[in-house]
Amino acid sequence: MPATSEYPRTCVPGRSSAARVSSSHAATFQSVAAEAGISVRLIQYYFGAKRDLMLATHRAVMEDWGRGFAEALGALGPDAAPREVIRAVSLGLIPLDDVRHQDNLVFAAFHAANLTGNTVTSEEMMGAPRYLITSFTEQLRRERPGETGARALELDAELIVLAVTGISQAVLAGGTTRETAVELLDHLLDRVFTGE
């Protein structure tokens, strides 16, 4: 079996079926192959086990988000203020359109799989949040270079990441609107950056 980094992108389930794959014991290679329009043998060749398919699906969504972040940050330019950078990345995480809604459903399914012990571990899922916390901490350090408490910067960064996660879940569940989600993010960033 080849390394999963070598699989063709067409073997990874589309967003509409990725959540079913990650959350359902009943999802099969046959159902994934049928939706992708490829042979079951190709799926089996590249992934071997459902766990490998799930991790590849997770990685594909992360890569899509990374490209979206790069575009948003490129549009801001190299001299973007830290608040603008954090806001742009955070907006890219919140399900403000149908594509991001599907991506968030995939992550919710992975979270559920993790909570129920369905083949994916917490450690395998925490790379992206840790990266965001580190990135946001660096942006906050740029904004507040004289602040001596490094832990306070890390806590503020983690607060933003966890709040964005919660806001995203609320949008998915219908607990808040997309418009209110943006207001909540801006309110949080106002509190973190200006204390207002």
Side-chain angles (χ1 to χ4, degrees):
M1 182 172 59
T4 55
S5 61
E6 299 173 8
Y7 63 85
R9 185 71 181 224
T10 56
C11 292
V12 176
R15 286 176 172 86
S16 61
S17 66
R20 289 191 308 276
V21 169
S22 59
S23 64
S24 172
H25 291 289
T28 63
F29 283 164
Q30 290 82 3
S31 63
V32 171
E35 183 163 327
I38 58 177
S39 75
V40 173
R41 293 181 71 125
L42 190 59
I43 297 284
Q44 291 171 328
Y45 173 76
Y46 278 102
F47 301 105
K50 182 178 171 183
R51 179 181 179 285
D52 296 328
L53 177 61
M54 290 173 62
L55 291 173
T57 302
H58 180 264
R59 186 171 33 256
V61 172
M62 293 302 304
E63 289 168 358
D64 288 348
W65 276 5
R67 281 189 289 281
F69 296 155
E71 288 176 20
L73 295 176
L76 290 176
D79 299 323
R83 185 185 193 283
E84 292 174 317
V85 170
I86 291 174
R87 185 177 191 272
V89 171
S90 297
L91 286 173
L93 296 169
I94 299 172
L96 299 177
D97 58 36
D98 292 340
V99 171
R100 285 180 282 179
H101 186 92
Q102 287 297 318
D103 287 346
N104 273 274
L105 286 176
V106 171
F107 277 98
F110 276 103
H111 181 69
N114 175 31
L115 291 175
T116 60
N118 187 11
T119 71
V120 178
T121 66
S122 293
E123 191 58 35
E124 292 166 318
M125 303 307 298
M126 291 307 297
R130 286 185 187 127
Y131 175 79
L132 288 174
I133 291 166
T134 299
S135 297
F136 287 3
T137 299
E138 288 305 313
Q139 293 301 318
L140 291 170
R141 189 169 288 118
R142 281 183 53 219
E143 179 70 17
R144 304 185 296 216
E147 190 166 319
T148 58
R151 184 67 180 142
L153 295 172
E154 292 169 2
L155 289 172
D156 283 346
E158 189 166 355
L159 175 64
I160 295 167
V161 171
L162 293 177
V164 168
T165 301
I167 291 168
S168 296
Q169 293 299 308
V171 172
L172 286 180
T176 194
T177 66
R178 291 172 174 177
E179 295 78 16
T180 301
V182 174
E183 286 184 79
L184 289 167
L185 173 62
D186 287 335
H187 180 71
L188 172 64
L189 294 179
D190 288 344
R191 305 285 292 190
V192 169
F193 279 89
T194 64
E196 296 177 0

